[in-house]
Amino acid sequence: MPAPLDPERLRLRATRDRTEHWRRWGPYVSERQWGTVREDYSADGDAWNYLKHEQARSRAYRWGEDGIAGFCDDRQLLCLSLALWNGKDPMLKERLFGLTNEQGNHGEDVKELYYYLDAIPSHAYGLMRYKLTQAAYPYQLLLDENARRKGHGEREFELIDTGLFDEDRYFDVDIEYAKAAQEDILMRVTVHNCGSETAPIHILPQAYFRNIWSWSDDVARPHMSEQLRGEVQGEHDVLGRFALSFEKPDRLLFCDNDTNVAKIFGGAGTAGYFKDGINDFVVDGRTDAVNPASRGTKVAGLYRRDVPAGGSVTVHVRLCIGTDVTAGFADFDAVMELRKAEADGFYAVLQENITDADTRLVQRQALAGMLWSKQFYCYDVAEWLDGDPRQPKPPEARKHGRNIAWRHLSAADIISMPDKWEYPWFAAWDLSFHCIGLALVDPDFAKRQLLLLCEVWMMHPNGELPAYEWAFGDVNPPVQAWAALHLYDLDKRWNAGIGDVEFLERIFQKLLMNFTWWVNRKDARGLNIFEGGFLGLDNIGLFDRSKPLPGGGYIEQSDGTAWMAMYCLNMFHIAVELGQHDKAYDDMASKFFDHFLHIASAMTGRGGEGSGLWDGTDNFYYDQLCLPDGSVQPLRIRSMVGLIPLFAVAVVDGEDLRKLPGLLERMAYFHEQRSDLALLVSRWNAPGADGRHLLSLARQFRMVKLLERMLDESEFLSPHGVRALSRAYGDEPCVFELEGTRYEVKYLPAESTIGMFGGNSNWRGPVWMPVNLLLVESLRRFHNYYGPSLTVEAPTGSGVQLTLDEVADDLSRRLIGLFLRDKDGQRPVFGDNAKLQNDPYFRDLVLFHEYFDGDTGRGLGASHQTGWTGLVASLIDQLASKPPPS
């Protein structure tokens, strides 16, 4: 008999069956709402400067809320979060501070130290740690020093670099949430003084309604008020009645989550107790800023405490929905400890095959980060464009600006974010990768996330998927079908070989529309060569591929075309799988098989019109610049663009193919009548290991040649994964001249030295986790066909021969090793920072950066990009799940 399910998995089962709703409350509050497109009502579309950080404490948001360690319901009607004051800062620490795109040395960047340490998918338990300096927070120093470094290729100047943590004069603030029941929320704040002297702190756990009443006359204002000391009763039209209890506060402070009009816009304004009232009371001593009647739409419990050196203080808060009596605190700690123990039990099952404690720590923190990075995302584009009844009309320029073709988009959903500060908005291809990591702990949620962007309120009527709010019409790599297959296969692994056919069919039908959009919109000449543009790789090329190109030409993209070949094969593979249950999918499998062969033809020789994107001299794939005079110039840059064709690989079981007679007939036709196309791709007609069939854009010769480059340590292979650009361009940049202008690409292993895409990411040398994961999976697919008979030299020039599966294992270990302590006890992700590497209060707090130094592995870019760097959890699982060698 199977082992009984642990309490967390029972909660997830009940939620899936809709008998209980454990996900209704969670960490769904953004860490930055200011500076977002949603809140931008300017004429020029300058979101960063329309609503700035310094205004955020005084100005009500239109579309969402932000806060430190925020927790809310799935409609974000009522939020919990934490505010802190060290007695020296010019404002409460209510939200995380960071630099805008223009202020940062390399683009926008959060300037705080915080860590997601634990979470389970029902959000019945979660733990986050925030580090608060005891000295005044250095707002101006961070601005000035990063401005000084701007444009010089220097490192970002971070909070840890200010010296404020050198003598441990800071607080570790642990914020824990637990659920006694589905809507009985416990919040525990523990403040530990890491310094050598007693230090004062103000702790302010707070609750506030999202302001949805200021924009329309149709919405009633909710309310809450203090009934007994520390006991709040509240009522909301949707939530109903609730009780909020603060254990033994000094007092409660009430104001309203409304804009302080006089402060923000000038003039006399109106009387009231505004959003910044609690801040003004605590920091400025303004007793008139809070409501003496102890009622409002925002409340904080005030705890003034002196924390002894090495000591701690703890604060308890409890929120109970649907009752007019408080639950009290008698069972508070017992419930909290029970949920912690259940979290341990949940991960014990997940990690039962992982023997190394440090690897377990890294995987658990990676998954915690992914679970904490969910966000309630609300944005109705039509309302945003047209304006609200109770507010001034938007400027006329708005009708001709950003996202005007997306009026249908109306989101109010819980969505996995790349990063709730730097990227507090969904991104289509990021989200597909998030689903891979999330599927390890919550496959039901992961599948719904993948379907979400294809819903009618998100997908464009023409079939395009929304990219991200800065430009919904931009183009991301189409990896959704790959992700769907991954989730389906994971289901089969965990459910005795039974996959979720209903999910696979739903996503296939929706992606059919998206595939058609790609074919119709991104293939300029109808030759199955795709442009795509940006495709998420920021500054990897000579030109900004999302803008008009010099000379008026266009680029036929190796990566754009390879992504489409990959899309074709994944749709083909899904159709074959669905065809085992419904013969109607036989025709669809044939359709995608045909389309794949024509893309392969185009990449090889463009239907007889040219040499294609494969360079037979360099044995590499390159983009081609097509100019108005009809000339074509290859852009000979050895970058990830040329390795992406390896992703276009599928291996299917021969027995599955034999159940699809129409597909077999079509395959036979190509084999017998169109050998010119059939011979362009790998071995689909010849069974390999265990009777499997291979469809691959790169035949064996080309695949091996690409791997020679990829596994060359002087080019792509670093100790920590595959670089996005060949290291060969470190001393000799790649140079291209066009119409008298010189363009060049130089190997940059770390920070970007150019401002393309704001300069806040760099594809000219660092290691990026998502494409590395795809390389690992492609290698495993090739191995599933070729088996142990095919080996390659790895690293190139080493004399060591490895199977492709062994190469995948080696690459996985390099990527996982970014976060693990090495033989000297150092984590590469921390770089040369001795404090992070060695200090007991830092060394086991792992950050999952956006990308990594191509030489050293030091973390770069967004520090909490758990969204796709959390994929390391999947790599760890893959290695741990492999059977031991026979």
Side-chain angles (χ1 to χ4, degrees), residues 315-333:
V315 168
H316 294 162
V317 180
R318 189 166 195 163
L319 171 66
C320 301
I321 306 297
T323 179
D324 57 1
V325 296
T326 60
F329 295 96
D331 64 341
F332 189 102
D333 286 328

Side-chain angles (χ1 to χ4, degrees), residues 60-65 73 75-78 208-222 236-239 257-258 297 376 378 383 388-391 412:
Y61 297 127
R62 169 62 178 89
W63 295 101
E65 292 293 342
D73 62 279
R75 307 302 293 172
Q76 201 172 89
L77 301 172
L78 179 62
Y208 43 97
F209 297 109
R210 177 165 65 96
N211 187 332
I212 55 177
W213 56 84
S214 292
W215 326 107
S216 170
D217 294 323
D218 298 331
V219 179
R221 177 186 288 263
H236 187 283
D237 279 1
V238 178
L239 287 176
N257 190 12
D258 291 317
T297 53
F376 173 72
C378 186
E383 286 189 26
D388 297 300
R390 294 186 60 191
Q391 299 297 317

Side-chain angles (χ1 to χ4, degrees), residues 267-281:
T270 57
Y273 307 100
F274 303 110
K275 181 179 177 180
D276 51 13
I278 295 169
N279 175 89
D280 293 354
F281 177 91

Side-chain angles (χ1 to χ4, degrees), residues 614-662:
W614 173 259
D615 188 296
T617 302
D618 291 354
N619 289 324
F620 207 76
Y621 287 102
Y622 295 128
D623 287 351
Q624 294 193 130
L625 177 63
C626 301
L627 296 172
D629 64 4
S631 63
V632 176
Q633 298 191 39
L635 302 174
R636 289 191 170 87
I637 309 171
R638 294 193 299 280
S639 74
M640 185 60 66
V641 164
L643 297 179
I644 286 174
L646 290 171
F647 301 165
V649 53
V651 178
V652 294
D653 189 84
E655 198 62 37
D656 290 345
L657 291 178
R658 283 187 281 277
K659 293 178 183 177
L660 301 175

Side-chain angles (χ1 to χ4, degrees), residues 789-806:
S789 63
L790 177 62
T791 62
V792 295
E793 191 178 34
T796 301
S798 68
V800 177
Q801 293 289 320
L802 299 178
T803 68
L804 300 185
D805 197 48
E806 290 170 334

